[in-house]
Structures are given as C-alpha cells and as structure tokens.
Amino acid sequence: MFSSYDGLCTIGELAERVGVSVKAVRFYSDRGLLPEASRSAGGHRRYGPDAVERLNLIRSLRGLDLSVPEVRRILDEQDAGDTADALEAAVEGRLSTLGSELRALRWREAALQLVLDCPPDERPDRLRLIGAVSAPPSTAALVRFWRGWLPARMPARSVGAFLEVAVAQSPDDPRPSQVLAFARLYAFVTRPCTGSGTGNGPCQPGAHEAAGARESAVLYAGLATAYDLAGREMRRGREPRPGEALDGFVDAYANTYGTRDTPGFRRLLVGRLAADPRIDRYWELTAQVLGAPGSAPEPTPGTAHDWLLEALDADLSTGAGPGESGRRVSGGDDGGPHTASVDVDHRPVHEGGLVARR
C-alpha cells in the first residue's frame, strides 16, 4: 500500500517500487497497458496499488521478448477473466521463433568454422558456396527440383510421400561437414538444367511425359515399399541379393506397364535401368547431410535403388547365359551407366524418377 492519504502514487513512486524507469511507465501508460487511477490537480499521473502487480506482469512479459500487441492481448484476456489462451499462444510463438533463431546461429557457427578450417586460397569459393544458402537453410529449392522433375500427372499424395524421404532436412545442430554437404546439394539442385551428369538430353525422363496419374502412383508406391525393404537389408549389412525387396522392386515396374514379372522382363528391365542417366551426386550429398558421426550411412532412395539393381544383376547372373546378366557399364561424370535402351511390348521401361535424370 502506498503511503499517500488516498492510497495512490505518482509515476516516479511506481517506477521506483517496480524497479523500472519513469520513461518505461509513461510508455506503457500511453499505450493503454497501464491505466491511470486519476490525475493530480497539476495534471500528474497517479496510480492505484494494483498498478504494481500489473506493471510487474508487463515487465515479465516484455522480458520474454513478447511484443506490445501480444502483451496487450494477454492483459485484455486477463481483465476479461478468460483463460490464458493468449499467453499460451504468445509463449508458443516465441518458443518457435527462438528455435529458428538458435538453428540459424548453430548453422552460422558451423559455416564460420568451415571457412576457417579450409586453406586460405579456397575461402572465397567456399564463402560463395555457403553464402547462397539461408540460415537456417530452407529446403524450398530441393522441393522445387523434385516437383519439376517428377511426373506431371503424379497425384499430390504420392508427391508428398516421396518428398518426405527425398528432401534432406538440415540438422538442428550441424557439423561443418554437413553444412558443406547441404550447400553443395543446394548448388546441385539450383544449377541450370542441362540434362544428366553427362550434359546431354532433356531434364526429365521422357517416360514421365507418358505416365498417367494412376501409373505414376502405382510405380512410386511400389518403389517406396521396395526401397524400405532394401533399406532394412542395408542396415543389417547384407549384400545385394534376390528376395522380397527385389520382387517388390520388379513388381512395381511390371504392374505399372501391365505386364508380369518373368525372367525375360527382368532382363529387359535391368538393361533399361542401366541405360538411364543418374543423379548419384544428389543421394551422396543427402547421405552426408543426414549422416550421424561414427555411424554407417543412412540408406536413401538412391542407395536403396543401387542395392536393388545389384541384386537384380546377381539374380540374372545366376540364371542367365553369358552376356545376358544385364551388368551395368560405368560411364558419365556422376557414375551413371550407359547401355542400350530396351522396350517392353513397345512401352518404355524407365527408372521411375528416383536416381535417373534425363
């Protein structure tokens, strides 16, 4: 209780009691956050005993870096006797903002260390590389890359499911090597499209243009299951081999093109898949971004696809004559193989948009 005869205090007394400046009290009063009880004969502001608690609350809320409009909503809600929805929403929003700011700081710290650790003559190029990426990094460029490359008629649900596994999220607390990998991945997906790693051909597999909504959905759903099964085998350290994962992989293509899984189809399929250009670099960098220190690389759709191709090669090698095993021939800057194109019933069998790029 204030010592004055009417229980009110001046602006200076209130400021001293709470431990803030007179300027701060005047600021909150002028904005309607701290109502005055009355004015003195000389026009000076006077406040009641409840002003101490209210000013303490305002100072606490502002100490959490909440904005004046947010503080006003919280006080209005409190004055109306409502639940603390405004306070909860403001705190959650601030936590989200702080999380983003912390991620940005951790990214910048790792990026600065990355520049510091490289040889002086490489620093300008490295600065340009990482400077093109926002902090914290956005995955929008990666999403645009895949949306422009996936079959145009592919259902939105199938696209979303694929993006979940194909788009690498930067770690919240990245190491310098992960910053470098993500920056290189960003540069890879934003470079002008000149075709495959060999620089020839259009940017999208030609078979995508002919794939309808149903066919593309069937293909990608089947491949997703096969990649998941292959990933489990890879985590166990198993070498590529025939089995459930390979059967699902072949079935995905057979079902898409309305044919059956036969030895002849497998020979045609392996030849066609081997002929497709590749974007192995994308998956290599993705694995580096996602990799944990000291652990084996996490399987990606690209590495799972490679495992299945090797399993298909092994399967054909055990049952086919010389020259019919479908083994791939190396070539191309990205490790992409190049062999003759093969059609099934005059319908092109294509890789399905996961590791091939035309």
Side-chain angles (χ1 to χ4, degrees), residues 66-104:
L66 299 182
S67 66
V68 169
E70 287 174 323
V71 172
R72 179 179 290 110
R73 284 193 292 271
I74 293 169
L75 294 174
D76 289 346
E77 191 175 73
Q78 184 183 69
D79 293 341
D82 294 336
T83 57
D85 291 343
L87 176 58
E88 182 178 347
V91 171
E92 287 179 348
R94 187 61 192 141
L95 281 173
S96 177
T97 300
L98 281 174
S100 181
E101 291 172 353
L102 287 171
R103 289 193 296 274

Side-chain angles (χ1 to χ4, degrees), residues 75-349:
L75 294 174
D76 289 346
E77 191 175 73
Q78 184 183 69
D79 293 341
D82 294 336
T83 57
D85 291 343
L87 176 58
E88 182 178 347
V91 171
E92 287 179 348
R94 187 61 192 141
L95 281 173
S96 177
T97 300
L98 281 174
S100 181
E101 291 172 353
L102 287 171
R103 289 193 296 274
L105 287 173
R106 294 186 188 112
W107 172 272
R108 291 190 181 107
E109 181 183 30
L112 289 170
Q113 191 64 52
L114 182 66
V115 174
L116 188 63
D117 291 344
C118 74
D121 59 332
E122 295 180 13
R123 286 173 183 165
D125 287 339
R126 186 151 293 183
L127 279 171
R128 281 191 289 270
L129 181 68
I130 63 176
V133 183
S134 63
S138 168
T139 58
L142 279 67
V143 171
R144 285 194 299 271
F145 170 80
W146 286 113
R147 287 191 180 278
W149 191 82
L150 291 169
R153 302 174 186 85
M154 189 167 169
R157 179 178 297 181
S158 299
V159 172
F162 173 75
L163 294 177
E164 283 286 327
V165 296
V167 175
Q169 302 291 331
S170 173
D172 289 341
D173 191 6
R175 304 186 307 281
S177 60
Q178 290 173 305
V179 169
L180 181 59
F182 192 94
R184 286 172 171 167
L185 187 59
Y186 179 88
F188 180 86
V189 300
T190 56
R191 67 186 181 183
C193 184
T194 56
S196 69
T198 64
N200 300 316
C203 297
Q204 188 184 55
H208 281 183
E209 299 175 3
R214 179 187 175 281
E215 290 80 9
S216 59
V218 167
L219 178 61
Y220 277 79
L223 290 177
T225 301
Y227 292 154
D228 182 62
L229 292 171
R232 297 179 192 177
E233 297 285 292
M234 295 167 69
R235 292 184 186 94
R236 296 187 183 107
R238 293 177 177 170
E239 293 296 320
R241 59 179 185 174
E244 184 182 5
L246 179 60
D247 290 344
F249 180 68
V250 176
D251 280 343
Y253 288 101
N255 292 334
T256 299
Y257 292 101
T259 188
R260 293 181 299 107
D261 178 4
T262 64
F265 177 78
R266 290 194 174 204
R267 284 192 294 272
L268 292 172
L269 179 61
V270 75
R272 184 61 188 93
L273 295 183
D276 279 331
R278 305 169 61 84
I279 52 168
D280 290 346
R281 183 62 171 161
Y282 180 95
W283 299 113
E284 176 188 340
L285 292 170
T286 295
Q288 292 175 21
V289 171
L290 300 177
S295 64
E298 183 66 15
T300 65
T303 56
H305 183 91
D306 285 345
W307 190 95
L308 289 162
L309 276 183
E310 291 186 31
L312 185 55
D313 273 346
D315 180 51
L316 292 173
S317 296
T318 59
E324 297 181 74
S325 64
R327 289 186 178 86
R328 290 178 292 162
V329 180
S330 297
D333 294 339
D334 286 331
H338 305 283
T339 62
S341 177
V342 181
D343 290 347
V344 177
D345 296 334
H346 306 290
R347 289 169 294 193
V349 178

